[in-house]
Amino acid sequence: MLKILDKYLLRKFIVLFIYSMIAFLAIFLVIDLVENIDKFIDAGLTRQQVLTYYLLNVPFFISTALPMSMLIATVFSIGTLAKNNELTAMKSTGVSLYRIAAPVLLLATLISVGSFFFDDQIKSQTDRKLENYKEQYIQKRPPQSRLQRSNIFLQDSENRILFIEQFNGRSLRGQHVTIQYLQSDRLLKRIDGTRILWDEEQKTWLVENYVVRTFPTPDTEKVTQRGNSTLQVDLNITPEDILKESLNPAQMNFQELSEFIDKLKMLGIAPRKWIVNLHFKIAFAFTNFVVVLFGFPLVANQRHGGIAFGAGLSIFIIFTYYAFIKVGQVMGFNGILPPFFSVWMGNLVFIGAGVLLLTRTPK
């Protein structure tokens, strides 16, 4: 009988989940089309180009709609069972509320894990392609002006690493540059400058407002040069190499962002913002589990109220939850909370509230 109940519960949940996903995807599509139709017309996009634009947007729409669809499926499937006294009938046969919740929570866990890999492997790739697509076909930036990048890391030789905070492909100038010279993973020399520019005539790089430091031992540092003029540096890269290799950290997957953070630490640059974003990748994926855990007991004992109640409750929960997430992120960015706790704060609060509600709901 338990297997029959599991199938019955999951069938109701999955059907509502699919309908919710379709509805949200349609809503997102319509809203985005209304907002951007003028841009499409001004850019002279063909139907095929508009279709390509929205195909690249689908992973983002899915990632955004997943937690809301999970919550709505929970509220309406379990709320309907409670309203029709089906939950009471199940419990009267000796099946506890914990056992009734088990298949739904297990499904939510699997979807959360799948959501992480979906965002990490698929959405991150399509986000990059979408950004390039918009620059090329909608904003119609010329190739040189499109190639503006930030947070660039390059290893141009076995013992040399280059970091540029911002690089402009039009002017061939970069802001805040660091060049490290290593030997056997030990830092020997470091050049810091406020700007770096490419000399087209000499085919070389110039660093402005520079400071050159050497490190005779791992614990000692010595400033050997300092100047407000320019310093010529020999690098085995060109502006084309920098623009080709650079990648926006916001569009990196988990592994790429982890490596990026390690490089920032190696350069002595505080990577707090990106550590917060790294933890957020996992925390946001488990939003799907959290909203189900919180929503299930909230509606399991609710015998009154229909569609309006369910819709209102869903909106209230999801906006409150997202408010916790955004507040936590800001506190993490500003160093008020540790990066891990800042992005998991909303999850921990709602998991605690969900467990408390579940234990207080009649079994």
Side-chain angles (χ1 to χ4, degrees), residues 134-303:
K134 288 192 292 186
E135 290 182 347
Q136 182 176 356
Y137 293 104
I138 299 177
Q139 300 169 4
K140 293 188 179 297
R141 296 181 182 176
Q144 194 73 348
S145 65
R146 288 204 312 267
L147 300 177
Q148 299 186 31
R149 299 293 183 258
S150 60
N151 297 305
I152 300 162
F153 277 105
L154 283 174
Q155 184 171 357
D156 75 316
S157 67
E158 184 179 355
N159 300 317
R160 187 166 54 218
I161 297 175
L162 170 70
F163 169 74
I164 303 176
E165 186 173 302
Q166 299 283 342
F167 189 79
N168 188 309
R170 178 184 298 173
S171 63
L172 303 182
R173 288 175 174 265
Q175 302 292 325
H176 301 104
V177 60
T178 297
I179 305 171
Q180 290 190 341
Y181 299 81
L182 308 172
Q183 185 177 32
S184 301
D185 295 329
R186 190 173 79 80
L187 183 61
L188 296 181
K189 178 181 175 182
R190 170 170 170 164
I191 300 175
D192 294 281
T194 57
R195 285 178 298 276
I196 185 171
L197 57 97
W198 174 253
D199 188 328
E200 188 65 34
E201 293 183 0
Q202 301 296 325
K203 302 296 181 181
T204 188
W205 292 96
L206 301 174
V207 177
E208 296 180 344
N209 299 324
Y210 60 89
V211 177
V212 181
R213 298 179 177 89
T214 57
F215 301 85
T217 67
D219 299 324
T220 59
E221 171 186 328
K222 181 179 180 181
V223 177
T224 58
Q225 287 181 267
R226 184 190 299 270
N228 296 324
S229 56
T230 60
L231 174 69
Q232 180 178 329
V233 292
D234 295 323
L235 300 173
N236 298 325
I237 55 173
T238 63
E240 290 75 17
D241 296 323
I242 291 178
L243 296 169
K244 178 178 63 177
E245 295 292 337
S246 60
L247 181 63
N248 186 349
Q251 297 172 348
M252 293 179 179
N253 60 34
F254 190 88
Q255 182 178 350
E256 291 169 339
L257 188 56
S258 298
E259 294 172 353
F260 177 76
I261 290 170
D262 291 339
K263 291 177 180 178
L264 282 178
K265 291 179 178 178
M266 185 173 61
L267 290 170
I269 300 172
R272 173 174 291 275
K273 175 183 177 181
W274 303 117
I275 295 176
V276 171
N277 287 348
L278 184 71
H279 290 302
F280 181 75
K281 288 179 178 292
I282 300 178
F284 182 75
F286 279 87
T287 298
N288 301 287
F289 171 81
V290 174
V291 294
V292 172
L293 177 62
F294 184 79
F296 186 96
L298 203 62
V299 296
N301 201 36
Q302 177 66 39
R303 299 186 180 182

